Amino acid sequence: ACENGRPTACVQIGLAFNEGVVASTDRDRAAAYFDEACRKGAQRGCHLLGNQLEAGSRGERTWSTRARELYEEACDGGVAGACNDLGLFYEIGRGGLAQDEAIAESLYTTACNLADPAGCLNLARRLADFAPRSADRQRRARELFQRECDSEAPSSKRARARACHTLGENARTGRSGTERDLARAVGMYSKACELGDGDGCCSLGLAHRGGWAGLSRDDTKANELLATACELKSTCGCENLGLAHRLG
């Protein structure tokens, strides 16, 4: 089907090689199919090829510049994730771009309006933590974090987990115009952990260790959660688990 001019088929074959569905994972063959899809007009192929180049660039300027060009093409074609990735390039000044936080926020807004969970999360992050600070921007950020945390879309699991953890942190610290509420914080950490967020598991472990919000102090449960967090590559989890072992 790909050879017969169906670019969407090229995308699907590329994804199969990228994820090891048809055989062992083969990133080079995946990239070749994404490239063919892109050349045949499938903007999603352009976005996925940009992801492949970015992942393999190891900081090489030429590769990151090409990835940026692909993101621009795909974003112009309405691919939400490409707008988000291009926003990240503008935010940090990558791919030959000058850093421009205003353009980054605009691209995150576009991505979010196109229902990209990562784009909504990045937009909420900027509204909450970056100038110009205002009560309205903080309110919009809280609404976006809550919407993403509550989402049931299968594709948004990672963004859901991060959003729930952020809501927990805000409830614990009173950040971003949020009322301090340890019980709500613990609930958000629990949901984030269930969704596979390592920092959420770490925070929940610390809550059990400290007996927050009426929890019984439980070092065994705390260490189990910290171990899970560490397995999920959470620095918080690994450091606190190591400290627990050193202190006995």
Side-chain angles (χ1 to χ4, degrees), residues 104-116:
E105 188 168 313
S106 176
L107 285 161
Y108 296 147
T109 301
T110 298
C112 188
N113 288 340
L114 291 169
D116 180 66

Side-chain angles (χ1 to χ4, degrees), residues 52-70:
Q52 293 286 82
L53 293 176
E54 187 181 355
S57 68
R58 297 188 179 88
E60 294 177 30
R61 186 180 181 85
T62 302
W63 287 48
S64 64
T65 299
R66 178 59 181 147
R68 182 258 300 171
E69 293 169 346
L70 288 162

Side-chain angles (χ1 to χ4, degrees), residues 4-231:
N4 295 330
R6 290 181 54 197
T8 54
C10 301
V11 170
Q12 294 305 315
I13 295 171
L15 287 170
F17 278 111
N18 194 53
E19 297 164 6
V21 174
V22 293
S24 59
T25 301
D26 190 329
R27 309 285 189 196
D28 290 336
R29 292 189 71 181
Y33 277 104
F34 294 149
D35 184 34
E36 186 169 355
C38 183
R39 286 186 285 103
K40 290 178 176 178
Q43 299 302 324
R44 189 181 178 206
C46 302
H47 177 218
L48 291 167
L49 179 59
N51 287 161
Q52 293 286 82
L53 293 176
E54 187 181 355
S57 68
R58 297 188 179 88
E60 294 177 30
R61 186 180 181 85
T62 302
W63 287 48
S64 64
T65 299
R66 178 59 181 147
R68 182 258 300 171
E69 293 169 346
L70 288 162
Y71 293 154
E72 289 173 335
E73 182 177 348
C75 181
D76 287 344
V79 179
C83 298
N84 176 67
D85 290 341
L86 185 59
L88 289 168
F89 270 39
Y90 271 103
E91 185 166 5
I92 63 177
R94 192 177 181 194
L97 295 170
Q99 186 178 21
D100 192 319
E101 295 185 354
I103 292 178
E105 188 168 313
S106 176
L107 285 161
Y108 296 147
T109 301
T110 298
C112 188
N113 288 340
L114 291 169
D116 180 66
C120 292
L121 206 60
N122 279 322
L123 176 59
R125 173 177 57 81
R126 290 208 59 84
L127 290 171
D129 297 333
F130 291 83
R133 294 180 181 274
S134 70
D136 183 61
R137 281 171 66 87
Q138 289 188 338
R139 177 188 57 77
R140 289 169 59 204
R142 292 194 302 271
E143 290 173 352
L144 282 170
F145 282 130
Q146 191 66 61
R147 189 181 77 184
E148 291 308 311
C149 179
D150 292 341
S151 172
E152 296 296 332
S155 62
S156 69
K157 183 177 179 180
R158 183 177 179 185
R160 286 173 63 198
R162 295 306 302 162
C164 293
H165 183 254
T166 299
L167 288 171
E169 289 291 273
N170 289 349
R172 180 179 65 84
T173 62
R175 192 173 61 191
S176 296
T178 302
E179 184 178 350
R180 290 195 68 191
D181 185 337
L182 282 180
R184 174 170 166 76
V186 170
M188 290 296 99
Y189 293 150
S190 179
K191 187 171 182 179
C193 185
E194 289 172 4
L195 290 166
D197 183 75
D199 288 341
C201 296
C202 178
S203 296
L204 186 59
L206 295 176
H208 278 280
R209 176 181 291 171
W212 299 355
L215 289 175
S216 298
R217 292 177 180 267
D218 189 335
D219 287 344
T220 300
K221 179 66 174 177
N223 289 342
E224 289 174 354
L225 286 162
L226 294 174
T228 298
C230 189
E231 289 171 4

